Amino acid sequence: MEPGWGIRDRDSRKQILAHVEGLSSSQLRSGDSWRFEYFTPTFAVFHFPTPRDASKSPGWLRGNELSRVQANPQSPIPASNMLNPQQRAAIDYCDGPLLVLAGAGSGKTRVITEKIAHLVKRKNLSASKIAAITFTNKAAREMRERVGKLLHGPAAEGLTVCTFHALGLKFLQIEHARANLRRGFSVLDADDSQGLIKELAPKGIKNDALWALQSLISRAKNEGLTPEQAADTSAGPREREAAQIYAAYQKRLGAFNAVDFDDLIRLPLQILEGDDAVRAAWQERIRYLLLDEYQDTNTAQYRLVRALAGERGMFTAVGDDDQSIYAWRGANPENLGELSRDYPKLKVIKLEQNYRCGRRILRVANALIANNAHLFEKKLWSEAAEGPPIRVLECRDDEHEAERVAAEIVHLAEKHKARWNEFAVLYRGNHQSRALEKALRIARVPYHLSGGTAFLERAEVKDLLAYLRLINNPDDDAAFLRIVNIPRRDIGATSLEKLGQAAGLRHLSMFRAAQHDSVLGELSARPASALAGFVNLVRELKRTADRTAAADLVDQLIERIGYADHIGAQIKEPELRARRIGNLKELSEWFRAMQKDGAAGDLAAQLALLTHGDRDDAGNAVRLMTLHSAKGLEFRFVFIVGVEEGSFPHEASVDEGRLDEERRLMYVGITRAKEQLALSFTRRKRRFGEIIANDPSRFLAELPPTDLHWSGRDAEQDEVQRKEVASSSIAKLAALFDD
């Protein structure tokens, strides 16, 4: 183990902490020869190649005592990591089921990655027998990178770090026959799924009703119910109708040799719970499970974990019931409590020390969340600096609020010499970004809007993926229907309907039906000829795919079908056209960056698992995002806007009895802030053409008054702040004229 060099402060034991927390991660790692490793309130550890290089450390270290820290090779935790006692206990305990209650900013990811290394190095468990499950591909990728720094070479081979859905996909690719699937099955995205459901739903169904129908089917799947079970447990005519369509929908998926996202959990669960031999084999394949963000699991995911862990319960589940904010998509924080009932010997360890937020921010967050009932009691604490009061900005309307926030950002950036990416503005709904975007543009502040059209949701990207799906799986009717007329081939809806009927009568997919002369003979000459040409094209591409790398296949596909010309014919604006064509090139790069081997269609299935957050690279820009999107992130300066009744908490959530979840969402927002936090609300709002009065959110009344500074209630402090902001704004304007 490499030794480290420690810096101990002579005068103030807390001074190092203050200095270190004031530096960004990029600053901490910017030196050529030194590397920041860890710090406590009294000690900071760095690595230098030689003692002489310590002289190149940041200026604030001068005058402090430099001492050698020798790592103990016999210690299960390297000394340089300096984990706190609770973190160390969570890593060391490997003898049974473990629940780690990890508060915001308490180092849960570090615990998971260090535990993986501990299992391999100290417990001699092969990495191939370990699976770490996350909720986003971004989190999985970051975790995999961090583990890679702890385990090198063969030691890390075979380790599984992925999302629940990716694990389900892997399971079905291995056990496809047991799920009545053929090799190379397709994974339908939400749009494809909705299109199939719409075909089966009553004619003329409205979009809201269609969405509700799709949600009911998804909910049944997330509870692990078959169509028959959904029918048996249905309550009322809407659920009975949904159960009937669910049954027809699954039959259609089976005919297409396809699954949807929910099936990636439901089908493995169904197999594991119903087949003792398969369950035993997979429990042997995965000897230890690590589960991140456990409070976000739904019923089916919990049952999947239980089936994989078995009675021995060799797992570590990491979660925080105070950060459960996804009930609307099926998450069940009660799963944390279910663990103790299903595993009576469950050990619980609490991570309560926060390494992110100032003490005042934590105190405010703790006071807020204390109004919720708790499965497990915990209270976050920090040895960081106290931090300034939480500012509460009272604004006239949305535009005034946006202008004030923009001015505050400019002021703080000037005052603290901060980068734009150290700021985040959070809100309850995406519509709240519009005024903020306008104000930031006027202030010439770069911003990045999270939640725009996801890369994989862009039409041109979905078109090419549909081609890959059909090349890989000729029975994928959803892919066939999407691209049979892209680029335009003049195959009308009437012809496609006739083709579908003929395919149904012959128990064939539409693509295979289109290969029969007898079927084409039932169509008029022009669409029949076009379909024959399309079939030959796909066959040719299939032959190419068998001997061509996926990325090269994408490039050839774009060229072969003339897709760039197709975009050019649709879009006349040069800039937009160039951007859309650029997306095609980026898709090819995605494939190139992924696994080197494997069929194109398999990779397309993997790509279907990616989310917008995986590609959400903001660069040096202020982040604008919903509170839900901010979970797992942290920023030096945070603004939460729209903190008023009806907006936050959301009116519908209050009506539906989900106030506790809204409060947890506020808690998540508050704990994103490292140094400074501002909350703003408006006195009036335009709604449906009317001006209505707003009241401050009830959440503001739940915060400690002594930790808040309300603008307008302290004339002296308000005047100081006003002058500082005005000075920054003038400097900004002067800079504009210097451009």
Side-chain angles (χ1 to χ4, degrees):
M1 184 65 62
E2 181 186 15
W5 287 92
I7 311 294
R8 187 181 298 275
D9 192 278
R10 286 175 174 168
D11 304 318
S12 169
R13 300 251 183 217
K14 295 183 179 180
Q15 190 176 354
I16 275 187
L17 182 68
H19 280 301
V20 173
E21 285 211 327
L23 297 174
S24 68
S25 59
S26 61
Q27 289 174 302
L28 287 169
R29 299 183 184 271
S30 62
D32 292 331
S33 55
W34 67 276
R35 175 164 57 88
F36 172 75
E37 193 65 34
Y38 196 70
F39 68 90
T40 71
T42 62
F43 206 75
V45 176
F46 296 78
H47 283 302
F48 302 100
T50 66
R52 186 179 0 176
D53 290 320
S55 63
K56 301 177 184 178
S57 59
W60 60 265
L61 295 179
R62 289 195 298 269
N64 293 322
E65 181 183 328
L66 183 67
S67 58
R68 188 78 164 169
V69 182
Q70 182 66 49
N72 180 1
Q74 301 304 315
S75 173
I77 307 298
S80 62
N81 288 330
M82 300 182 68
L83 295 154
N84 67 41
Q86 289 74 34
Q87 291 172 326
R88 184 175 287 109
I91 292 167
D92 286 346
Y93 185 76
C94 303
D95 300 326
L98 172 65
L99 172 61
V100 179
L101 290 171
S106 62
K108 64 179 179 66
T109 304
R110 183 173 196 152
V111 166
I112 294 173
T113 55
E114 293 277 3
K115 185 154 193 173
I116 293 171
H118 181 70
L119 287 165
V120 174
K121 291 181 177 180
R122 304 295 176 188
K123 297 297 182 179
N124 297 316
L125 183 63
S126 170
S128 63
K129 299 289 187 180
I130 301 171
I133 313 301
T134 69
F135 270 86
T136 68
N137 286 281
K138 182 179 180 182
R141 185 170 58 248
E142 290 175 353
M143 192 176 291
R144 199 178 298 112
E145 290 171 354
R146 292 175 71 166
V147 172
K149 294 176 181 177
L150 300 172
L151 297 176
H152 305 285
E157 287 181 7
L159 175 69
T160 297
V161 183
C162 63
T163 64
F164 269 103
H165 290 93
L167 181 65
L169 177 63
K170 179 180 180 180
F171 180 97
L172 291 177
Q173 287 172 334
I174 295 171
E175 309 287 355
H176 58 88
R178 299 180 188 275
N180 295 317
L181 294 166
R182 298 184 299 282
R183 193 181 300 277
F185 61 86
S186 298
V187 180
L188 269 61
D189 65 14
D191 283 351
D192 291 335
S193 172
Q194 189 179 79
L196 287 183
I197 293 172
K198 188 175 183 178
E199 289 180 16
L200 299 167
K203 298 295 183 186
I205 188 171
K206 303 289 186 186
N207 286 336
D208 287 350
L210 178 62
W211 182 86
L213 181 61
Q214 190 176 11
S215 296
L216 285 171
I217 294 172
S218 181
R219 189 178 74 185
K221 290 190 174 191
N222 287 333
E223 291 175 359
L225 301 177
T226 65
E228 295 74 24
Q229 291 168 330
D232 292 341
T233 57
S234 60
R238 286 183 62 197
E239 289 189 13
R240 282 194 293 273
E241 180 188 39
Q244 291 173 352
I245 294 173
Y246 176 15
Y249 172 64
Q250 288 305 118
K251 188 176 180 180
R252 184 72 61 90
L253 287 178
F256 295 167
N257 192 35
V259 297
D260 63 17
F261 268 31
D262 294 327
D263 285 331
L264 295 178
I265 306 298
R266 185 185 69 86
L267 290 175
L269 174 63
Q270 184 177 302
I271 295 167
L272 286 167
E273 288 186 340
D275 193 316
D276 293 346
V278 175
R279 185 168 63 254
W282 275 85
Q283 287 176 359
E284 178 58 30
R285 182 189 289 268
I286 302 176
R287 298 292 303 277
Y288 202 96
L289 271 170
L290 299 107
L291 307 143
D292 193 16
E293 303 287 5
Y294 197 70
Q295 75 282 348
D296 292 335
T297 55
N298 59 37
T299 301
Q301 288 164 338
Y302 176 69
R303 287 167 57 187
L304 183 66
V305 169
R306 196 170 58 192
L308 290 171
E311 293 182 2
R312 55 193 173 86
M314 300 303 286
F315 65 80
T316 294
V318 182
D320 180 9
D321 54 333
D322 289 334
Q323 297 189 75
S324 179
I325 57 175
Y326 294 115
W328 51 274
R329 69 182 191 194
N332 182 11
E334 295 291 331
N335 287 344
L336 291 168
E338 289 292 328
L339 280 176
S340 57
R341 286 185 283 273
D342 289 338
Y343 295 94
K345 295 182 178 179
L346 179 75
K347 186 178 180 64
V348 179
I349 295 174
K350 299 177 184 180
L351 303 185
E352 296 174 298
Q353 184 173 2
N354 175 285
Y355 295 97
R356 176 188 301 155
C357 310
R359 288 204 302 271
R360 191 189 303 271
I361 291 170
L362 276 187
R363 189 162 57 243
V364 165
N366 285 334
L368 175 78
I369 206 64
N371 292 279
N372 275 8
H374 285 82
L375 295 169
F376 303 94
E377 292 295 331
K378 67 178 184 306
K379 190 173 183 179
L380 294 188
W381 60 277
S382 172
E383 290 186 320
E386 178 77 357
I390 303 333
R391 298 194 62 218
V392 183
L393 309 178
E394 181 180 335
C395 308
R396 293 188 303 274
D397 51 30
D398 291 346
E399 287 192 2
H400 182 222
E401 181 181 48
E403 290 165 359
R404 286 198 67 176
V405 168
E408 291 284 347
I409 289 173
V410 170
H411 162 60
L412 290 170
E414 294 281 344
K415 181 178 180 180
H416 298 279
K417 307 302 178 189
R419 290 171 58 82
W420 298 121
N421 59 8
E422 296 179 281
F423 294 86
V425 186
L426 312 180
Y427 36 78
R428 183 62 178 80
N430 278 311
H431 67 280
Q432 294 171 277
S433 70
R434 295 167 191 154
L436 291 162
E437 289 185 77
K438 179 182 176 183
L440 290 170
R441 280 197 301 269
I442 292 172
R444 298 190 66 175
V445 173
Y447 67 88
H448 175 82
L449 180 65
S450 298
T453 302
F455 180 78
L456 294 175
E457 296 301 312
R458 293 168 184 165
E460 60 274 14
V461 175
K462 294 184 72 171
D463 288 345
L464 290 182
L465 289 179
Y467 267 101
L468 293 177
R469 285 165 43 196
L470 190 63
I471 291 168
N472 187 68
N473 175 18
D475 297 322
D476 189 340
D477 278 0
F480 175 91
L481 289 169
R482 181 177 184 92
I483 59 172
V484 69
N485 266 318
I486 295 176
R488 188 173 176 85
R489 297 186 177 91
D490 293 323
I491 304 170
T494 302
S495 297
L496 288 174
E497 187 176 348
K498 288 181 180 178
L499 177 64
Q501 291 169 350
L505 289 171
R506 292 167 172 79
H507 304 288
L508 297 170
S509 68
M510 295 180 74
F511 180 82
R512 294 191 189 277
Q515 299 178 45
H516 290 257
D517 291 338
S518 59
V519 173
L520 295 180
E522 298 175 19
L523 309 178
S524 56
R526 189 168 180 177
S529 176
L531 275 170
F534 177 69
V535 166
N536 289 332
L537 168 67
V538 175
R539 282 173 165 174
E540 180 187 326
L541 290 167
K542 173 66 174 175
R543 289 192 293 272
T544 302
D546 292 338
R547 58 180 187 275
T548 306
D552 295 331
L553 178 62
V554 173
D555 293 336
Q556 291 180 31
L557 174 61
I558 294 168
E559 181 71 24
R560 180 68 179 79
I561 66 176
Y563 198 88
D565 293 336
H566 168 69
I567 290 177
Q570 287 185 316
I571 302 170
K572 303 304 179 186
E573 186 183 341
E575 187 176 336
L576 179 58
R577 185 165 64 244
R579 192 158 61 244
R580 297 278 295 274
I581 291 173
N583 290 334
L584 306 180
K585 296 177 181 177
E586 186 174 354
L587 180 63
S588 161
E589 291 169 4
W590 278 28
F591 275 102
R592 211 175 301 280
M594 294 182 70
Q595 55 201 53
K596 301 294 183 186
D597 35 273
D602 290 337
L603 288 179
Q606 294 285 350
L607 276 173
L609 297 170
L610 293 175
T611 64
H612 175 61
D614 296 316
R615 306 293 296 184
D616 199 13
D617 185 9
N620 186 26
V622 174
R623 297 293 294 271
L624 305 181
M625 64 179 70
T626 65
L627 287 139
H628 285 95
S629 300
K631 189 166 178 289
L633 304 177
E634 60 183 42
F635 302 91
R636 190 176 173 188
F637 308 97
V638 170
F639 295 80
I640 304 177
V641 302
V643 188
E644 58 236 6
E645 286 293 303
S647 293
F648 196 22
H650 194 274
E651 186 178 25
S653 297
V654 176
D655 294 341
E656 295 167 8
R658 293 189 283 111
L659 181 61
D660 281 4
E661 179 157 337
E662 289 290 289
R663 188 176 286 110
R664 291 194 292 268
L665 189 57
M666 181 70 164
Y667 174 85
V668 166
I670 290 172
T671 54
R672 299 313 93 193
K674 296 164 66 175
E675 290 185 23
Q676 293 193 38
L677 172 68
L679 312 172
S680 63
F681 68 95
T682 63
R683 279 297 184 187
R684 60 179 185 265
K685 187 181 295 287
R686 183 176 294 276
R687 187 175 183 183
F688 305 120
E690 286 185 52
I691 302 295
I692 59 172
N694 285 331
D695 292 321
S697 170
R698 69 188 73 189
F699 295 152
L700 292 173
E702 296 176 358
L703 307 181
T706 54
D707 289 315
L708 306 182
H709 169 63
W710 289 70
S711 66
R713 299 187 183 181
D714 185 334
E716 185 176 342
Q717 190 169 347
D718 284 345
E719 182 62 18
V720 171
Q721 182 71 18
R722 189 192 66 77
K723 287 181 177 178
E724 283 189 0
V725 174
S727 176
S728 295
S729 299
I730 291 169
K732 186 75 174 176
L733 285 171
L736 295 181
F737 289 107
D738 292 337
D739 286 351

